[in-house]
Each structure stands twice: as C-alpha cells, then as structure tokens.
C-alpha cells in the first residue's frame, strides 16, 4: 500500500490589475510554501483555481496583461519551488492561447518541468460567476501519478457534472481528484459541499475540494472515499488562510471498495437497457 503526503493551501489572493501585483503575490505564496516545505517534505502541493489572480471582473478585464502561457513567470516560479523541494505542485492560472483564454490548473514536477495542464471544461455563468464573458472551455482530460497514486484536477463548476468525475474514476482509474475552486458565497455556495462529498462517495475516491481564503470564499474540505461519524471530512477554516497537511493511504481505498461494493456492482452501461413505460401512458 502507498501513502501520499499532501499540502493543500487555502490561500488569500489580493485584488490586482498589473503584472507587478500578480508577480508579488506569486512570490508571497512561494515564500509561504517554502516555509511549509522546509519544515516537512510533501509529495504533492495543491493551490486553488486561478490562484495567481483575483477572481473579479476588475482582474478579468486585464487578462491581456495578467494571463500567461505555460512558460510564464508564475509557471517558472512554482516549477523552481517544486524542483527545490523535490515535490509536485498543482496551481491555477488564466492561460492565454492563440486567440482566447482558458481557466487552467498546471502541474509542475520535481524536475522543474511542466507535467501537463487541465483546462476547465464547464464554464460557470450564474451567481457570482461571469466566466463565459472572458474564458472558453477546455477540450481534454488530464491525469498524472504521484507515488503510484493517480491524480486528476478538475475546476470548480466541474464538480456539478457527475459524468466528469465518474469518467476519471471508472474509466481512467483516478484515485484522487483535485477539485480546485473559487467558490464565492452566492446562492449556490450551500450546495457545494454535498456535491463534493457525493462525488467522493459514489466513485469511492479521495477528493480535495479546495477554495481560496477570504470573507467571500473559504470552507475548503477534503473528502475520503467513505464518510460517517467515525470518518468525517477534513474541514478548513471558514475564511482564514490555511495550509492543511493530509495523508492519503491507498489501503483505505481498497478497504472501502471491499466493504461497500456499489462501485463494483455498477453496470458497464445503462444506455442499452430497455425502458418500459407504464401501460396507462399508452392509453
């Protein structure tokens, strides 16, 4: 069995409109992570959605300035930190492509290179979200392994579409989903945790649901593959910045899947089953 030590940062992200402000913020985050990683080694470090910029129209109106490609200064800063501490870091940024912008999670490895990236598939446009005014959706899945544990990032609104998580878990053998968000306290906020917990339970996987800090955000959580009174989720502070140390053990996955067989008992497909209407509908 394998154990993985994970550091999850519910970080504060200030308002910004310039590259100087963005780069100062990234340096500050790297300094905090350096302090954490110097005190204890971690296999995987995770930051939230768009962790290099403020989530606001004010910042998004400056995407021509704040967005980066995969060789940008934020990627270089986190890659250097990952190499220094022999770890893998997953972080979010607005990514510039040929003619538009994507909301991306980027993974950099212990060798200082980019492992890959995931672009948000489901773009949110309700409540405090206005992403369709600025971003285009992605078109691919992405997963990678850390210490033999298969990991895949998804982003915020993606959690509300069950097909994505189940495809990653059941078709691509992902054991840990990194659900990196910018969950604002709008009308949908109270339903966020039930969605995250359900995705972990129904797919029998670990799921980190990581928000940014602040009075309008916060309340991140880590979900094991089974939760009950003796095995609760790990909760983060309501608003404050917080770095959580979490250890994952693959023996937990094995035991849960043996004790509760609903994943094994799932049919390969439900699309081909015959649908029978009640007779009275045909009268």
């Amino acid at each position: 069995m394998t154990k993985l030590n994970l550091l999850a940062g519910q970080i504060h992200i200030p308002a910004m409109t310039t590259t100087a402000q963005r780069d100062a913020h990234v340096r500050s985050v790297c300094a905090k992570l350096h302090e954490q990683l110097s005190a204890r080694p971690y296999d995987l470090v995770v930051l939230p959605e768009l962790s290099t910029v403020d989530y606001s129209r004010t910042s998004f109106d400056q995407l021509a300035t704040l967005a980066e490609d995969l060789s940008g200064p934020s990627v270089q800063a986190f890659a250097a930190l990952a190499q220094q501490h022999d770890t893998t870091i997953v972080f979010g940024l607005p990514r510039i492509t040929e003619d538009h912008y994507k909301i991306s999670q980027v993974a950099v490895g212990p060798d200082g290179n980019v492992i890959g990236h995931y672009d948000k598939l489901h773009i949110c446009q309700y409540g405090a979200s206005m992403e369709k005014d600025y971003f285009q959706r992605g078109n691919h899945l992405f997963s990678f392994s850390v210490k033999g544990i298969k990991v895949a990032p998804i982003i915020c609104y993606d959690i509300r579409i069950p097909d994505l998580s189940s495809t990653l878990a059941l078709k691509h053998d992902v054991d840990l989903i990194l659900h990196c968000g910018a969950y604002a306290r709008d009308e949908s906020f109270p339903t966020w945790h039930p969605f995250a917990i359900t995705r972990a339970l129904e797919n029998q996987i670990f799921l980190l649901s990581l928000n940014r800090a602040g009075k309008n955000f916060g309340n991140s959580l880590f979900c094991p593959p089974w939760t009950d009174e003796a095995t609760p989720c790990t909760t983060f502070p309501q608003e404050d910045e917080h770095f959580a140390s979490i250890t994952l053990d693959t023996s937990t996955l094995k035991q849960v899947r043996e004790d509760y067989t609903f994943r094994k008992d799932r049919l390969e497909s439900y699309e081909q089953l015959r649908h029978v209407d009640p007779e009275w509908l045909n009268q």
Side-chain angles (χ1 to χ4, degrees):
M1 297 295 105
T2 302
K3 289 187 178 181
L4 182 149
N5 293 320
L6 184 155
L7 179 66
Q10 178 176 283
I11 60 169
H12 175 69
I13 302 173
M16 66 185 73
T17 57
T18 68
T19 54
Q21 291 170 323
R22 179 201 64 198
D23 295 346
H25 161 65
V26 171
R27 286 195 299 272
S28 174
V29 173
C30 285
K32 294 173 184 177
L33 292 178
H34 173 69
E35 182 178 0
Q36 296 283 333
L37 292 164
S38 297
R40 175 186 172 182
Y42 288 92
D43 306 302
L44 178 63
V45 178
V46 187
L47 297 174
E49 176 186 17
L50 295 175
S51 47
T52 64
V53 301
D54 183 26
Y55 191 100
S56 69
R57 282 194 181 275
T58 303
S59 285
F60 293 169
D61 284 339
Q62 303 301 319
L63 284 176
T65 297
L66 297 175
E68 306 175 52
D69 61 22
L70 295 179
S71 62
S74 297
V75 177
Q76 294 179 31
F78 286 117
L81 185 67
Q83 187 172 30
Q84 179 183 1
H85 290 282
D86 191 31
T87 190
T88 298
I89 301 177
V90 178
F91 63 97
L93 84 172
R95 190 172 69 86
I96 187 169
T97 66
E98 297 81 7
D99 58 356
H100 55 271
Y101 305 102
K102 301 284 182 67
I103 298 174
S104 302
Q105 288 295 120
V106 180
V108 292
D111 60 359
N113 293 320
V114 174
I115 298 170
H117 71 279
Y118 167 75
D119 301 323
K120 190 172 186 176
L121 284 177
H122 305 97
I123 304 301
C124 192
Q125 192 77 9
Y126 63 77
S129 299
M130 54 333 210
E131 296 166 4
K132 292 182 181 179
D133 295 341
Y134 299 95
F135 300 99
Q136 293 190 18
R137 72 176 185 86
N139 60 9
H140 71 276
L141 304 178
F142 167 56
S143 61
F144 60 98
S145 292
V146 179
K147 294 188 69 175
I149 294 178
K150 201 164 186 182
V151 182
I154 65 174
I155 302 175
C156 208
Y157 185 43
D158 284 337
I159 199 71
R160 300 180 184 271
I161 314 299
D163 312 68
L164 174 57
S165 297
S166 63
T167 296
L168 289 170
L170 302 177
K171 302 299 182 182
H172 297 283
D173 299 317
V174 166
D175 297 315
L176 167 63
I177 287 181
L178 306 177
H179 174 229
C180 304
Y183 265 101
R185 293 179 181 273
D186 60 15
E187 61 270 26
S188 70
F189 191 86
T191 64
W192 156 35
H193 283 190
F195 272 87
I197 294 168
T198 299
R199 295 294 163 265
L201 287 172
E202 68 189 1
N203 294 301
Q204 296 184 301
I205 56 172
F206 297 108
L207 191 145
L208 172 66
S209 196
L210 184 62
N211 203 5
R212 56 181 61 199
K215 66 178 183 180
N216 292 319
F217 298 96
N219 281 123
S220 303
L221 77 163
F222 174 76
C223 308
W226 179 260
T227 54
D228 54 26
E229 293 84 354
T231 315
C233 293
T234 300
T235 57
F236 290 55
Q238 182 171 328
E239 299 179 6
D240 294 342
E241 184 167 89
H242 180 67
F243 294 90
S245 176
I246 301 165
T247 299
L248 288 67
D249 190 334
T250 56
S251 65
T252 303
L253 292 173
K254 182 176 183 294
Q255 191 63 56
V256 165
R257 292 172 187 177
E258 288 178 356
D259 291 346
Y260 306 99
T261 60
F262 45 84
R263 173 168 162 149
K264 182 176 67 174
D265 294 336
R266 191 179 306 199
L267 302 184
E268 181 67 25
S269 172
Y270 293 84
E271 295 178 359
Q272 304 304 318
L273 295 177
R274 185 167 63 96
H275 178 255
V276 180
D277 290 323
E279 290 185 2
W280 62 270
L281 288 177
N282 300 318
Q283 294 177 355

